[in-house]
Amino acid sequence: MDANEFRTAAKAAIDEIADYHENVVNKNPVATVQPGYLRPLLPASAPLDPEPFEAIRADIQDKIMPGITHWSSPGFMAFFPCSSSYPAAIAEMYSNAFNGAHFNWICSPAVTELETIVLDWLAQALGLPECYTSGGSTHGGGVLHGTASEAILTVMVAARDKYVAAKTSHLPEGSEEKEEETWRLRGKLVALGSAGTHSSTQKAAQVLGVRFATVTVYEEDGFALTGAHLHETLRELTAQGLEPFYLTTTLGTTDVCAVDDFASIAATLAAHNSKNSHGAEVFVHVDAAYAGSALMLPEHQHLTKSFTHFHSFNVNPHKWMLTTFDCSAVFVRSRADLITALSIKPAYLRNEFSDSELVTDYRDWQIPLGRRFRSLKLWFVLRSHGISGLRAHFQQGIARAELLEAKLRTRPDLMTVFTAARFGLVTLRIVGANEDDINKKTAQVYEAVNADGHFYLTSTVVGKDKKFAIRACTSTRAMTDEHIQLLFAIFVREAEKVCH
């Protein structure tokens, strides 16, 4: 394909993409194909000779499109949104054009410097403490990773090395005694999360070969992690001779969008850390992958007050902030935590700028070496929508969850609101004679709503008594009040079937 052929093909593709977004409201949210549908439709091996691009384009519509689940559909109310926008899509095109690995400043100075600037913009817009900006008092700053799971694994690596270094700081550097104590400690390390913490924390602990422990959360606390219950878990672990070194707290849990009690957690850890030898402290990460975007609304920024006591924070613009996947913003209070744990400088990565330490090399802030020009699309989105436009988008998602909650409360004979609308998520259950009956009926309605085809929802099971609830996330950009009314009508119809 030469430049002229590229121009023709790309323009046609853009038209098709625009048509797709304009008509996604008319598509069922979930693909209806069966497992293995695609292999019989494609040749058994790659073509020996080039094929015309028109044939490839045709296969997108005929073979690929039937197997796509439409995350942009207003009927997609599962998980959390994976949003997009035209400015972000255009930025992706430029990013692809400027293709490179971009691991050092010299690899593309604009890639590094734009990332620093845009993440400072984002930190300010979210109301994060100044310690998370590049010019802050603690030499922190932001970096773009691919996903929140990658972010958690990365900061857990930093937490591990920081904790072990503090605990062994009294021993002579390079001594056999220090080496032995380092490996003894590694075998005792425990990463913590609540029962509502995303599974990525447990997975990161599994990857690093450290233990994982769960702090119980309770319905009466709104399924939020509290300092009191964290204290009990810390006490139990230390009594066993274990070393809690890391904690994921959450702003907007996956199950029910619970917000952990950051103030009491900070107080509990301050007391715990004061008893630790040689200044070792539990590293605290705030996972705000989805709901963190709502911090752009001034009424929620009080939630960041305790973050000065924590070590890192993560939000995914690719969830709610109209920025195409992947784009996960990670902020640290001290960049040294990442650099000390992750920096390796072989000769082929050295250059006069990196050696002078006048520039940021983001390869030292992440696990991979190479990196994409992700900041470009976040820059496009922030400029094209403005803070006011993004705030309006978040407010719409929040308002629609509140609308759904209000409608659910008009039929207490059929449904109960399990957790009230928060950050665009509401959960519900169907009424029943007892907990087993409620779980059974709720599961039946959940399956019936998804089978109907207009909407795709996900469920959750929470609490010690394993309560089954239906989740409805209302943050998709294409959603309207009419979709909320239709969903409510389907809930009523299906609930009447199982209740009467």
Side-chain angles (χ1 to χ4, degrees):
M1 180 182 288
D2 61 25
N4 287 330
E5 291 171 328
F6 170 69
R7 285 188 174 95
T8 300
K11 289 173 182 175
I14 287 172
D15 284 340
E16 289 184 346
I17 291 168
D19 290 342
Y20 169 76
H21 283 292
E22 286 183 335
N23 295 298
V24 73
V25 295
N26 301 318
K27 297 179 181 293
N28 287 344
V30 179
T32 57
V33 297
Q34 296 300 308
Y37 90 98
L38 188 56
R39 184 171 291 278
L41 302 179
L42 297 180
S45 58
L48 178 62
D49 298 316
E51 295 184 1
F53 195 73
E54 286 301 313
I56 301 172
R57 276 185 55 213
D59 280 350
I60 288 288
Q61 299 300 323
D62 298 340
K63 298 181 175 62
I64 301 302
M65 192 65 76
I68 295 295
T69 289
H70 305 290
W71 287 65
S72 297
S73 165
F76 187 93
M77 301 176 72
F79 310 113
F80 290 121
C82 195
S83 61
S84 63
S85 63
Y86 292 127
I90 293 170
E92 287 278 22
M93 295 171 65
Y94 280 110
S95 179
N96 290 336
F98 306 145
N99 188 44
H102 308 308
F103 42 80
N104 281 348
W105 177 88
I106 194 61
C107 291
S108 279
V111 175
T112 294
E113 297 194 11
L114 183 64
E115 187 159 332
T116 302
I117 293 166
V118 168
L119 285 172
D120 281 347
W121 284 9
L122 184 59
Q124 294 163 9
L126 297 174
L128 297 184
E130 58 83 30
C131 59
Y132 290 102
T133 62
S134 64
S137 57
T138 56
H139 303 289
V143 59
L144 289 175
H145 288 178
T147 66
S149 297
E150 181 186 336
I152 286 172
L153 176 59
T154 302
V155 298
M156 194 181 290
V157 170
R160 179 196 63 188
D161 287 11
K162 183 177 184 177
Y163 187 88
V164 171
K167 293 283 283 189
T168 60
S169 60
H170 61 291
L171 299 174
E173 199 64 41
S175 66
E176 183 176 343
E177 184 183 7
K178 188 181 184 79
E179 180 80 1
E180 288 298 319
E181 180 61 8
T182 293
W183 288 105
R184 187 195 72 79
L185 280 170
R186 282 196 170 200
K188 298 290 186 180
L189 294 178
V190 184
L192 297 171
S194 80
T197 297
H198 190 270
S199 60
S200 53
T201 294
Q202 184 174 357
K203 187 171 185 178
Q206 183 175 323
V207 170
L208 292 184
V210 300
R211 305 177 200 217
F212 175 74
T214 300
V215 183
T216 305
V217 294
Y218 296 91
E219 188 172 352
E220 54 265 33
D221 299 320
F223 299 105
L225 172 63
T226 67
H229 296 127
L230 174 63
H231 170 75
E232 287 303 310
T233 302
L234 291 170
R235 184 183 59 79
E236 292 169 4
L237 292 172
T238 53
Q240 298 171 40
L242 299 175
E243 302 277 352
F245 78 103
Y246 170 92
L247 169 68
T248 292
T249 62
T250 311
L251 194 160
T253 61
T254 302
D255 288 325
V256 296
C257 237
V259 176
D260 290 343
D261 185 355
F262 300 123
S264 70
I265 291 168
T268 294
L269 288 175
H272 173 81
N273 291 335
S274 67
K275 301 173 185 176
N276 236 331
S277 60
H278 310 292
E281 60 181 7
V282 177
F283 188 109
V284 183
H285 174 70
V286 181
D287 176 12
Y290 164 68
S293 291
L295 292 175
M296 208 172 281
L297 299 171
E299 59 264 34
H300 298 304
Q301 291 185 352
H302 67 279
L303 294 171
T304 69
K305 184 178 180 181
S306 298
F307 293 178
T308 53
H309 304 292
F310 301 155
H311 300 80
S312 58
F313 171 89
N314 167 243
V315 61
N316 286 355
H318 67 235
K319 278 191 166 68
W320 200 1
M321 209 178 292
L322 303 178
T323 306
T324 49
F325 191 89
D326 57 4
C327 185
S328 183
V330 189
F331 298 90
V332 290
R333 193 176 68 188
S334 171
R335 65 186 67 184
D337 292 343
L338 295 179
I339 295 170
T340 300
L342 299 169
S343 180
I344 297 177
K345 295 183 177 179
Y348 56 81
L349 293 179
R350 305 191 69 168
N351 60 78
E352 59 177 309
F353 302 103
S354 297
D355 289 347
S356 69
E357 298 184 352
L358 295 175
V359 300
T360 298
D361 281 344
Y362 279 122
R363 65 181 176 84
D364 295 331
W365 297 43
Q366 63 180 33
I367 291 171
L369 175 62
R371 53 201 332 274
R372 300 178 64 237
F373 195 178
R374 296 186 181 99
S375 61
L376 196 64
K377 56 189 174 183
L378 188 53
W379 188 48
F380 273 42
V381 167
L382 289 172
R383 294 182 65 188
S384 297
H385 295 280
I387 300 301
S388 62
L390 290 172
R391 284 174 175 167
H393 169 61
F394 304 143
Q395 286 166 336
Q396 285 177 352
I398 290 169
R400 292 204 173 101
E402 292 171 348
L403 174 62
L404 177 59
E405 178 189 347
K407 289 184 175 297
L408 293 170
R409 292 192 186 279
T410 66
R411 293 302 306 267
D413 57 317
L414 297 175
M415 296 167 283
T416 59
V417 172
F418 183 53
T419 56
R422 190 163 201 179
F423 301 125
L425 179 74
V426 62
T427 66
L428 65 140
R429 306 180 79 203
I430 307 303
V431 299
N434 51 51
E435 282 300 324
D436 288 341
D437 190 41
I438 292 171
N439 279 350
K440 179 181 177 181
K441 289 178 177 176
T442 304
Q444 288 175 327
V445 169
Y446 164 70
E447 292 166 2
V449 172
N450 279 347
D452 175 81
H454 284 92
F455 296 94
Y456 178 46
L457 308 175
T458 45
S459 62
T460 187
V461 178
V462 292
K464 296 184 72 174
D465 44 2
K466 305 296 183 184
K467 293 183 177 179
F468 185 98
I470 301 171
R471 302 170 70 261
C473 185
T474 62
S475 303
T476 304
R477 190 181 189 187
M479 191 175 298
T480 66
D481 290 355
E482 286 72 24
H483 295 107
I484 299 299
Q485 178 59 51
L486 176 59
L487 176 62
F488 173 66
I490 295 173
F491 275 140
V492 169
R493 183 190 71 201
E494 299 303 331
E496 285 179 337
K497 290 179 183 178
V498 300
C499 291
H500 303 313

